[in-house]
């Protein structure tokens, strides 16, 4: 009858409305859990950040899922009981396959791989690899004499292959193994990972890191392990043997990178993580370590025969800079560990910091020299990118602009005035740009990430800044000592790390590789 049909429709509507409200509740809970910017979330990036974000929102999400499951189960029973056509039954069956499905689907195993997150980290992995080859390789190759172009390119390329295999063999395990770790308890495992994941043991198609496959997390972090030693090449150009570069980089990874990565991003029980240190994408792990390592290596090697930067091909440097800038979206945005508002804010901060740094540095060049320098503007953008790296996911747009302003002024001062005063031959300003930029960003994070400046960190400014200073200074001091030890050992292994004087004059392309990058122009007849 009409009355009975109306009552049934009313019941169905109420059931659907209940399901809709529960679905909205679940979405809100998931958003709250994923986007909550707190001290717990901020203590590490990647898998650790994702894990802590999910813990923060787990209770509310589970409660919402339970309510959702109950409501939609009632709705499904109501509709199936009254469905008169195969179309209605099929529609309800399809609805049951969605995220907000019946109780059986809601009770599925957690954690689960999220397609959007997986897609974003896959893209980010490619972008960060793109930063090294061809980005960084091109950037550096354009700044050396033309007789050394190939030597820079092949060093970056060789390190990419070498560090990939090293990461697979033991790097991932020493960086991210949590065996023996316990939050609040300092042991050897707080400083370096274990050996349980050697050769990626235990990493299977079913293993998950946060909301992405663990194999993808391995790949993404591998690209960071590739670019960090490659950054140091800029301080070693035109005078260090090829085999010495490879030996030094390998020893340095064990002595510096793996411990630093573990202490910051290793999760609860890691030394810096337990201190509350914030490093979103590698201000400490990548830029401070590489910058200090490069400075020590430059001082150990001594000056080139001609301590002067020769721009062999600024077009190549410009293109390399553009590649680095684009790739940095994967570097910082991917460090959010998910395709989320956190990733969007990190990318926005990255763009703003680099842009402001480029504008300010260029303005200073015009004031001082009366001209816009292509090299200066390119270098400025890299300084802004390096400085925002540790803070990208913790600062708002205002903080990002202030970071870019500070990095342009401070990094330019170190790359020109300080370097000239002390005379160290940091050929391509690795220390002045990456080391100083990473150090500056790590410390300023404590201030700029505060909600008063639009940031997302609710820890008091002074408390967070003190923690950041301790981490930055201790990392710099340790890296300096460990890098010197690696250089001494490399010197003994290779029988001298510097090429002969005549090789510097000839160029490393011919001396080390027997090839040349540029074919001599035939004489004009």
């Amino acid at each position: 009858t009409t009355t009975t049909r109306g009552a049934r429709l009313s019941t169905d509507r109420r059931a659907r409305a209940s399901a809709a409200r529960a679905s909205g509740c679940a979405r809100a809970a998931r958003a709250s859990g994923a986007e909550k910017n707190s001290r717990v979330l901020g203590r590490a990036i990647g898998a650790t950040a994702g894990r802590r974000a999910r813990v923060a929102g787990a209770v509310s999400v589970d409660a919402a899922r339970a309510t959702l499951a109950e409501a939609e189960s009632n709705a499904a029973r109501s509709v199936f009981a009254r469905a008169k056509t195969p179309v209605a039954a099929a529609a309800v069956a399809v609805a049951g396959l969605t995220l907000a499905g019946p109780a059986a689907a809601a009770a599925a195993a957690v954690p689960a791989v999220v397609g959007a997150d997986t897609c974003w980290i896959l893209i980010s992995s490619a972008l960060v690899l793109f930063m090294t080859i061809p980005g960084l390789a091109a950037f550096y190759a354009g700044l050396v004499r033309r007789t050394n172009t190939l030597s820079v390119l092949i060093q970056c390329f060789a390190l990419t292959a070498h560090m990939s295999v090293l990461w697979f063999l033991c790097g991932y395990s020493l960086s991210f193994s949590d065996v023996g770790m316990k939050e609040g308890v300092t042991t050897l495992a707080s400083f370096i990972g274990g050996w349980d994941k050697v050769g990626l043991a235990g990493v299977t198609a079913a293993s998950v890191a946060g909301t992405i496959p663990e194999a993808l997390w391995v790949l993404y972090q591998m690209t960071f392990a590739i670019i960090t030693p490659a950054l140091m090449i800029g301080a070693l150009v035109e005078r260090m043997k090829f085999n010495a570069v490879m030996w030094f980089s390998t020893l340095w990874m064990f002595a510096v990178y793996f411990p630093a990565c573990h202490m910051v991003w290793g999760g609860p029980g890691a030394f810096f993580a337990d201190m509350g240190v914030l490093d979103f994408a590698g201000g400490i792990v990548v830029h401070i370590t590489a910058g200090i390592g490069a400075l020590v290596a430059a001082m150990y090697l001594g000056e080139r025969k001609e301590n002067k930067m020769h721009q062999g091909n600024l077009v190549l440097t410009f293109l390399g800079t553009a590649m680095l800038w684009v790739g940095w979206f994967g570097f910082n945005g991917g460090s959010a560990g998910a395709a989320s508002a956190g990733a969007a804010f990190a990318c926005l901060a990255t763009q703003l910091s680099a842009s402001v740094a480029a504008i300010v540095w260029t303005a200073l060049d015009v004031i001082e020299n009366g001209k816009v320098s292509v090299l200066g503007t390119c270098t400025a953008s890299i300084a802004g990118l390096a400085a925002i790296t540790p803070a990208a996911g913790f600062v708002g747009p205002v903080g990002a602009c202030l970071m870019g302003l500070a990095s342009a002024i401070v990094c330019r001062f170190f790359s020109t005035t300080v370097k000239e005063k002390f005379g160290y031959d940091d050929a391509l300003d690795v220390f002045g740009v990456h080391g100083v930029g990473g150090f500056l960003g790590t410390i300023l994070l404590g201030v700029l990430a505060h909600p008063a400046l639009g940031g997302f960190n609710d820890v008091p400014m002074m408390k967070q800044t003190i923690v950041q200073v301790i981490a930055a200074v201790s990392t710099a001091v340790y890296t300096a000592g460990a890098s010197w030890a690696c250089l001494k050992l490399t010197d003994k292994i290779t029988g001298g790390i510097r090429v002969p004087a005549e090789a510097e004059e000839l160029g490393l392309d011919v001396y080390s590789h027997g090839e040349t990058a540029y074919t001599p122009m035939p004489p004009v007849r």
Side-chain angles (χ1 to χ4, degrees):
T1 65
T2 303
T3 303
T4 303
R5 188 179 296 110
R8 289 175 178 174
L9 289 174
S10 179
T11 301
D12 293 345
R13 290 192 190 99
R14 286 195 298 270
R16 292 191 187 99
S18 177
R21 286 193 299 271
S23 179
C25 180
R27 285 194 298 270
R30 285 194 296 271
S32 175
E35 303 303 331
K36 183 178 181 181
N37 288 289
S38 64
R39 180 169 179 242
V40 176
L41 171 62
R43 285 170 61 184
I45 68 164
T48 303
R51 187 185 309 121
R52 292 178 179 176
R54 284 187 297 279
V55 169
V59 176
S60 56
V61 172
D62 290 343
R65 284 178 177 171
T67 303
L68 170 65
E70 181 180 359
E72 291 209 338
S73 180
N74 291 337
R77 285 196 298 270
S78 174
V79 176
F80 269 123
R82 294 162 179 80
K84 299 299 183 181
T85 65
V87 175
V92 175
V94 171
L97 296 177
T98 66
L99 180 62
V110 177
V113 170
V114 176
D117 296 345
T118 301
C119 182
W120 171 234
I121 304 305
L122 279 169
I123 294 171
S124 296
S125 299
L127 286 172
V128 181
L129 180 60
F130 186 73
M131 290 174 67
T132 305
I133 50 171
L136 185 68
F139 178 81
Y140 281 166
L143 295 177
V144 297
R145 290 187 300 153
R146 292 193 167 202
T147 53
N148 293 299
T149 301
L150 288 181
S151 67
V152 173
L153 293 174
I154 192 58
Q155 285 172 15
C156 290
F157 201 90
L159 280 178
T160 299
H162 186 67
M163 294 305 155
S164 298
V165 176
L166 186 63
W167 187 253
F168 154 69
L169 291 175
C170 61
Y172 180 69
S173 186
L174 292 173
S175 299
F176 287 100
S177 169
D178 58 2
V179 172
M181 293 172 61
K182 184 176 180 182
E183 188 169 10
V185 178
T186 302
T187 64
L188 179 61
S190 302
F191 300 93
I192 190 69
W195 297 92
D196 56 303
K197 291 184 178 291
V198 168
L200 300 186
V203 178
T204 67
S207 55
V208 176
T211 56
I212 64 174
E214 187 178 8
L216 177 54
W217 180 241
V218 173
L219 174 64
Y220 181 63
Q221 286 297 327
M222 178 189 290
T223 61
F224 282 69
I226 289 169
I227 197 170
T228 305
L231 288 173
M232 294 191 291
I233 289 175
L236 316 175
V237 295
E238 301 187 331
R239 63 199 190 281
M240 192 168 182
K241 294 179 181 176
F242 177 81
N243 65 336
V245 171
M246 302 304 293
W247 270 106
F248 169 62
S249 299
T250 302
L251 295 171
W252 188 88
M253 291 294 285
F254 283 97
V256 177
Y257 184 81
F258 297 152
C261 183
H262 182 76
M263 286 190 287
V264 176
W265 295 337
F271 185 70
F272 284 147
D274 280 356
M275 284 176 57
V277 173
L278 300 181
D279 185 4
F280 191 76
I284 295 172
V285 178
V286 176
H287 294 292
I288 291 179
T289 59
I292 297 298
L295 176 63
V296 173
M299 296 175 70
Y300 187 92
L301 280 166
E303 295 183 17
R304 291 165 292 171
K305 293 194 68 171
E306 186 178 358
N307 184 356
K308 182 181 179 182
M309 183 183 291
H310 296 270
Q311 298 96 28
N313 189 338
L314 273 181
V315 173
L316 200 58
T317 295
F318 173 83
L319 293 175
T321 304
M323 295 172 193
L324 284 167
W325 191 328
V326 173
W328 228 290
F329 278 75
F331 201 84
N332 289 351
S335 293
S340 63
F345 266 99
C347 289
L348 177 60
T350 300
Q351 182 71 14
L352 288 174
S353 180
S355 300
V356 171
I359 292 170
V360 173
W361 191 310
T362 300
L364 293 173
D365 280 346
V366 171
I367 292 171
E368 184 175 323
N369 305 313
K371 295 181 180 180
V372 174
S373 166
V374 174
L375 176 59
T377 304
C378 288
T379 305
S381 65
I382 302 301
L385 292 165
I388 197 62
T389 294
F394 304 124
V395 301
V398 173
C401 291
L402 293 174
M403 188 74 80
L405 171 65
S407 65
I409 296 172
V410 177
C411 291
R412 187 177 186 275
F413 177 73
F414 271 85
S415 298
T416 55
T417 306
V418 174
K419 187 170 80 167
E420 291 174 5
K421 180 176 178 58
F422 290 96
Y424 55 85
D425 191 8
D426 178 14
L428 308 184
D429 294 322
V430 183
F431 170 69
V433 173
H434 295 278
V436 174
F439 195 94
L440 180 69
T442 298
I443 294 174
L444 287 183
L445 184 161
V447 175
L448 299 181
H450 195 272
L453 292 172
F456 310 118
N457 180 40
D458 56 5
V459 177
M461 282 188 189
M462 184 58 69
K463 180 179 180 181
Q464 188 66 60
T465 301
I466 291 173
V467 169
Q468 298 298 117
V469 170
I470 292 172
V473 172
S474 59
T475 299
V477 171
Y478 171 77
T479 300
S483 299
W484 183 85
C486 291
L487 287 162
K488 289 292 290 184
L489 184 55
T490 300
D491 211 345
K492 291 185 178 297
I493 292 173
T494 59
I497 62 176
R498 184 161 178 161
V499 299
E502 60 271 17
E504 284 191 57
E505 296 179 359
L506 177 65
L508 271 61
D509 288 358
V510 173
Y511 174 78
S512 298
H513 311 291
E515 298 169 310
T516 57
Y518 300 93
T519 303
M521 293 291 291
V524 179
R525 296 182 180 179

